[in-house]
Amino acid sequence: MCNFAAENNYNDMIGRTIATDIEKDFQSGKIIVITGARQVGKTTLLEDFASRFSKVLKLNCDNYDDRLDLENRRSTELRNLIGNSDFMMIDEAQRVNNIGLTLKILADLKLNIPILVTGSSSFELNNAINEAATGRFFDYRMYPFSFSELANHTSLRDEGRLLEQRILYGSYPDVVNHPDDARRIVTNLANNYLYRDLLEYKGMKKPELLQKLVRALALQIGSEVSYNELAKTLGADKETIENYIDLLEKCFVVFRLSSFSRNMRTEIKKGKKIYFYDNGIRNALITNFAALELRNDKGALWENYLVSERIKKLRNTGDYSQCYFWRTNTQQEIDLIEECDGKMRAYEFKWKDEKAKMPAIFAETYPEATFQVINTVNYRDWLK
């Protein structure tokens, strides 16, 4: 099996977990759609796939001319565009007007070649595809490097040694590949790439509010988020705050965990926590890269790192467990709950090798649930 990957400092390759599954879909006759934030390595992955083929058609839809080649074209025009190509890649496809219809026509041509499409904002691309091309595509989500991908490249021991680097600067490919310049790179990512699609979106009426909101969220990782409180703090209405958070999630900046509730009257039923997909982006937003020993938010950073890395692991390996947090009105809590096929796994996060017990009321209510404390001693096995 080929090792599809991204380059690092040593001119070696860091393999991406989803690459093998994507390759298996080459003969499916369906269009392969890969979404994820800008700069996570989507183009690098496509370029590596393309290197296996002899006649490749590459279209980057950030370029106006490439967009025109795809917009409002008939099937004959698209067939002529592809010609005798044996591989087609369309980068940043959300920039193309009516891209869903274009992809539907491409799929219906049944050209028997891999057609791979990337997008960095699911609110534009997925909506367009779902409306016009339902049943004609497979979709994948791509993240910054996962712990597993990095550990497979080096070793569990080496990746463990770099834990503080990952917690402070994150795991975007360019950051991983150039650790000596990590602060400048991740700050540039946060300032110049993070909101690019979002700020150009027609539904974004108040870009200055977006900047304030994302910083406020960065200061609240690990805590429950109140849309009402955010609205009051930022001088906006609740609906706008909720809409902007939804857009941030669809641009792969943040993700939400809902509170878990089934049986208990004292369980918080409508709570939300918001995490960042990448710790480095979070730290760049609050301009704080101080060493962990000097920080009062170390616990929150640790929690954000573990939750985001666990999400990467689950999704990269095709495990679609639903993830939650759990809390009661009396402040009993569990950091992460995973539920799938009737099985429940509960996790509590500690920085050191500290002991913790499953809350008695949770154990009584959900006796089938397993419980584990994740700390700096055992986290590597949990994420591998």
Side-chain angles (χ1 to χ4, degrees):
M1 186 64 64
C2 297
N3 183 26
F4 301 102
E7 276 192 23
N8 72 2
N9 278 347
Y10 307 99
N11 295 316
D12 204 348
M13 306 293 280
I14 300 177
R16 306 309 297 251
T17 304
I18 62 172
T20 300
D21 287 336
I22 292 173
E23 186 190 14
K24 290 177 181 176
D25 287 335
F26 279 2
Q27 305 302 320
S28 67
K30 295 182 183 289
I31 291 174
I32 299 167
V33 178
I34 306 170
T35 54
R38 287 181 179 266
Q39 304 293 306
V40 296
K42 301 186 300 295
T43 302
T44 301
L45 182 63
L46 262 62
E47 291 281 2
D48 198 62
F49 281 134
S51 70
R52 275 66 176 172
F53 295 84
S54 59
K55 298 176 182 178
V56 177
L57 175 61
K58 301 179 183 180
L59 298 172
N60 181 349
C61 299
D62 279 334
N63 298 327
Y64 178 72
D65 288 342
D66 286 356
R67 290 203 299 273
L68 286 183
D69 283 337
L70 294 170
E71 287 182 354
N72 303 314
R73 296 297 179 180
R74 296 188 296 271
S75 59
T76 302
E77 294 172 310
L78 290 172
R79 188 185 294 274
N80 290 337
L81 174 67
I82 295 170
N84 62 352
S85 301
D86 56 5
F87 184 91
M88 182 180 188
M89 54 184 279
I90 305 173
D91 234 348
E92 301 302 342
Q94 79 278 353
R95 309 274 289 170
V96 178
N97 291 329
N98 299 317
I99 183 59
L101 180 58
T102 299
L103 295 180
K104 175 184 181 296
I105 295 171
L106 284 171
D108 290 344
L109 287 174
K110 300 187 182 304
L111 298 168
N112 198 31
I113 67 169
I115 300 176
L116 273 66
V117 176
T118 76
S120 53
S121 58
S122 64
F123 60 86
E124 292 180 331
L125 182 57
N126 283 356
N127 287 344
I129 293 175
N130 287 328
E131 288 176 4
T134 300
R136 295 172 172 85
F137 68 96
F138 288 130
D139 64 316
Y140 290 86
R141 177 74 58 83
M142 196 167 182
Y143 304 95
F145 285 133
S146 68
F147 173 88
S148 180
E149 288 167 341
L150 293 168
N152 284 338
H153 177 67
T154 55
S155 68
L156 284 174
R157 180 176 178 272
D158 285 343
E159 194 55 29
R161 180 177 55 82
L162 292 168
L163 176 60
E164 181 163 353
Q165 173 84 4
R166 303 292 183 240
I167 290 177
L168 293 180
Y169 298 103
S171 302
Y172 270 78
D174 205 20
V175 172
V176 169
N177 293 333
H178 303 92
D180 293 339
D181 204 17
R183 178 169 186 158
R184 183 168 69 96
I185 292 170
V186 75
T187 299
N188 181 57
L189 285 170
N191 292 338
N192 297 322
Y193 289 97
L194 198 62
Y195 315 114
R196 180 171 175 180
D197 298 297
L198 193 49
L199 292 175
E200 295 175 357
Y201 176 55
K202 61 184 178 182
M204 179 53 57
K205 306 297 185 184
K206 301 177 180 178
E208 70 284 351
L209 175 61
L210 177 69
Q211 303 283 350
K212 294 177 182 178
L213 172 61
V214 78
R215 179 177 171 83
L217 295 175
L219 292 169
Q220 294 188 35
I221 57 169
S223 302
E224 282 183 66
V225 171
S226 166
Y227 296 152
N228 284 324
E229 289 181 8
L230 284 170
K232 290 179 182 178
T233 300
L234 300 176
D237 60 90
K238 176 187 173 184
E239 289 71 23
T240 298
I241 294 298
E242 192 166 359
N243 287 339
Y244 280 20
I245 289 174
D246 183 62
L247 291 173
L248 285 167
E249 191 165 23
K250 290 177 178 176
C251 267
F252 316 110
V253 179
V254 301
F255 61 94
R256 287 174 277 195
L257 287 191
S258 299
S259 55
F260 181 87
S261 175
R262 290 291 185 273
N263 302 311
M264 295 167 49
R265 293 178 60 186
T266 59
E267 287 175 326
I268 293 174
K269 296 176 172 59
K270 296 184 179 180
K272 299 284 184 186
K273 284 188 177 184
I274 295 178
Y275 296 95
F276 283 76
Y277 277 113
D278 187 78
N279 272 42
I281 293 294
R282 183 267 179 180
N283 289 328
L285 291 168
I286 63 171
T287 61
N288 186 356
F289 293 96
L292 290 179
E293 63 184 16
L294 303 175
R295 304 181 71 124
N296 58 14
D297 62 350
K298 180 169 67 176
L301 280 173
W302 179 232
E303 182 175 332
N304 193 94
Y305 175 78
L306 288 179
V307 174
S308 61
E309 287 297 330
R310 185 67 174 183
I311 292 292
K312 292 180 196 176
K313 171 187 168 66
L314 294 175
R315 302 301 176 251
N316 283 344
T317 57
D319 184 326
Y320 288 93
S321 297
Q322 295 298 305
C323 295
Y324 309 89
F325 72 95
W326 178 84
R327 185 172 293 170
T328 68
N329 295 329
T330 57
Q331 301 305 307
Q332 296 185 79
E333 61 183 309
I334 295 175
D335 291 323
L336 181 66
I337 290 175
E338 298 169 2
E339 186 181 39
C340 185
D341 298 333
K343 298 179 180 179
M344 190 185 306
R345 304 181 294 268
Y347 302 103
E348 185 69 18
F349 303 141
K350 300 293 183 182
W351 177 250
K352 295 299 182 182
D353 190 12
E354 302 174 36
K355 304 297 182 182
K357 292 183 178 180
M358 182 188 296
I361 193 169
F362 184 88
E364 293 171 7
T365 307
Y366 306 106
E368 75 280 8
T370 62
F371 180 78
Q372 186 179 4
V373 176
I374 305 299
N375 52 42
T376 52
V377 176
N378 64 5
Y379 83 97
R380 287 174 286 185
D381 290 332
W382 187 61
L383 295 178
K384 184 69 168 65

